[in-house]
Amino acid sequence: MELHDVWFVLIAVLWIGYFFLEGFDFGVGVLTKLLARDRTERRVLINTIGPVWDGNEVWLLTAGGATFAAFPEWYATLFSGFYLPLLIILVCLIIRGVAFEYRAKRPEERWQANWEHAIFWTSLIPAFLWGVAFGNIVRGVKIDKDFEYVGNFWDLLNPYALLGGLVTLSLFTFHGAVFSALKTVGDIRVRARRTALAVGLVAAVAALGFLIWTQADHGDGGSLAAMIVAVVALVGAIGAIKLGREGWSFALSGITIAAAVAMLFLTLFPNVMPSSLNADWNLTVSNASSSPYTLKIMTWCAGIATPIVLLYQSWTYWVFRKRIGTHHIADAAH
């Protein structure tokens, strides 16, 4: 296997890690309006992801940085062609981080309500737009012979990509509802289970349609295997949450996301960004990659730094592993 193939796999793993981790905290952000009934319950939900949300975003930064260094042509075409949706995502992530930090800085109800609205929308919009972006990458976009995107924003809003956005939004919300049930106690935990069950059924229908469409248009044996794993895991996650087994359900919903993202990358390879105008203009792992020397240096750096980051992040989740409930939130905490 060539180093550019290795880095394609590593970038896929980074996106899997990002969607697995950021997926549930996007879902929790959406649930601050759908699940929580008052300020105290919204505080409980926010506290479940308070210690980890910023660490989860590191996976996105790493995936973007790895793409820039390993596949500069891919990075240039992707970020120039998808400039507006990626800018919207970036602005949402900035506002979302500020909202988490500033919500409790003042006690006024209106102040906190405004930041809570911000948390909801800046969780929902990226959760949807990531699916739209990856749907377009798999489907193919208008790339010319110079590997430049020649379409416009409206070309990205096609039925396949919009369905992909609905899939990521519903899957992340389901993942977040299961995480909320896993991390809370009391009435909010019971309602999180019911919400997870309802959202899970919606996610199952949307995901099944999207994955079958993907397999029919772009799939092979490997992608078919990944699709089967994703579907079986999602059915298992819904069944487990119905039985009150939040830990199993969370693990299975994570496997669903991982298998679905893996399927998308399997349908891409050896392309990284297909052209819908001419297959000869596809960006591939070979024509979009950096030099072998650059990839070799990156491999050594990743081999040293990655285990350290994984150990630190695992330790963070272990430290903040306990459940919380409304009785843990003092009135003064608002």
Side-chain angles (χ1 to χ4, degrees):
M1 181 181 286
E2 300 288 339
L3 275 180
H4 51 63
D5 298 330
V6 172
W7 273 97
F8 179 85
V9 174
L10 291 176
I11 288 172
V13 170
L14 289 171
W15 280 108
I16 288 171
Y18 175 66
F19 285 143
F20 178 94
L21 296 171
E22 189 85 312
F24 71 73
D25 75 44
F26 279 148
V28 171
V30 172
L31 292 170
T32 56
K33 291 295 184 185
L34 303 182
L35 176 61
R37 291 176 173 173
D38 53 36
R39 295 167 65 197
T40 302
E41 289 191 350
R42 281 189 287 275
R43 180 60 184 264
V44 168
L45 291 178
I46 291 170
N47 281 9
T48 63
I49 59 174
V52 298
W53 68 266
D54 49 354
N56 295 344
E57 290 187 355
V58 171
W59 288 77
L60 172 62
L61 299 176
T62 309
T67 304
F68 171 76
F71 299 101
E73 286 282 1
W74 184 13
Y75 181 92
T77 304
L78 175 65
F79 278 77
S80 59
F82 291 22
Y83 181 82
L84 183 55
L86 292 178
L87 177 62
I88 293 172
I89 290 172
L90 176 61
V91 171
C92 284
L93 294 180
I94 293 171
I95 295 174
R96 189 168 182 264
V98 173
F100 282 133
E101 298 296 336
Y102 276 75
R103 175 191 174 277
K105 294 298 184 183
R106 287 170 54 179
E108 292 89 346
E109 186 171 353
R110 183 175 180 181
W111 168 273
Q112 295 191 2
N114 287 338
W115 287 119
E116 287 163 2
H117 286 309
I119 291 171
F120 171 76
W121 286 109
T122 56
S123 298
L124 185 150
I125 293 172
F128 177 76
L129 288 181
W130 280 127
V132 174
F134 271 84
N136 278 292
I137 291 173
V138 171
R139 174 178 177 267
V141 291
K142 294 179 179 179
I143 299 174
D144 65 11
K145 66 180 186 305
D146 297 318
F147 301 137
E148 294 182 0
Y149 179 72
V150 293
N152 56 53
F153 174 74
W154 303 110
D155 292 330
L156 304 178
L157 302 182
N158 54 80
Y160 176 77
L162 292 175
L163 179 58
L166 177 60
V167 170
T168 52
L169 176 58
S170 57
L171 272 182
F172 291 171
T173 305
F174 172 68
H175 199 39
V178 174
F179 181 79
S180 300
L182 181 64
K183 290 288 292 179
T184 58
V185 295
D187 182 56
I188 193 171
R189 177 185 178 189
V190 175
R191 284 186 281 112
R193 288 179 185 171
R194 290 200 298 263
T195 302
L197 187 59
V199 176
L201 295 174
V202 175
V205 173
L208 184 61
F210 180 75
L211 296 179
I212 290 175
W213 192 344
T214 303
Q215 179 64 26
D217 283 354
H218 311 284
D220 56 15
S223 61
L224 177 61
M227 184 187 80
I228 292 171
V229 171
V231 172
V232 171
L234 182 54
V235 172
I238 295 171
I241 198 64
K242 187 175 182 179
L243 296 174
R245 303 296 297 271
E246 295 108 338
W248 280 104
S249 183
F250 182 72
L252 288 168
S253 67
I255 291 173
T256 300
I257 292 171
V261 177
M263 179 187 178
L264 296 183
F265 276 90
L266 285 168
T267 60
L268 271 177
F269 187 80
N271 297 316
V272 294
M273 206 167 177
S275 171
S276 60
L277 301 178
N278 189 327
D280 293 335
W281 300 340
N282 290 352
L283 281 168
T284 68
V285 292
S286 56
N287 67 22
S289 68
S290 294
S291 67
Y293 181 75
T294 300
L295 296 177
K296 184 182 294 186
I297 296 297
M298 289 175 60
T299 303
W300 279 104
C301 293
I304 295 170
T306 302
I308 298 172
V309 173
L310 291 176
L311 285 172
Y312 173 76
Q313 193 163 23
S314 299
W315 176 78
T316 303
Y317 277 92
W318 175 256
V319 169
F320 295 100
R321 67 189 182 277
K322 293 185 178 179
R323 296 176 182 268
I324 62 174
T326 54
H327 61 285
H328 292 113
I329 308 297
D331 291 339
H334 293 298

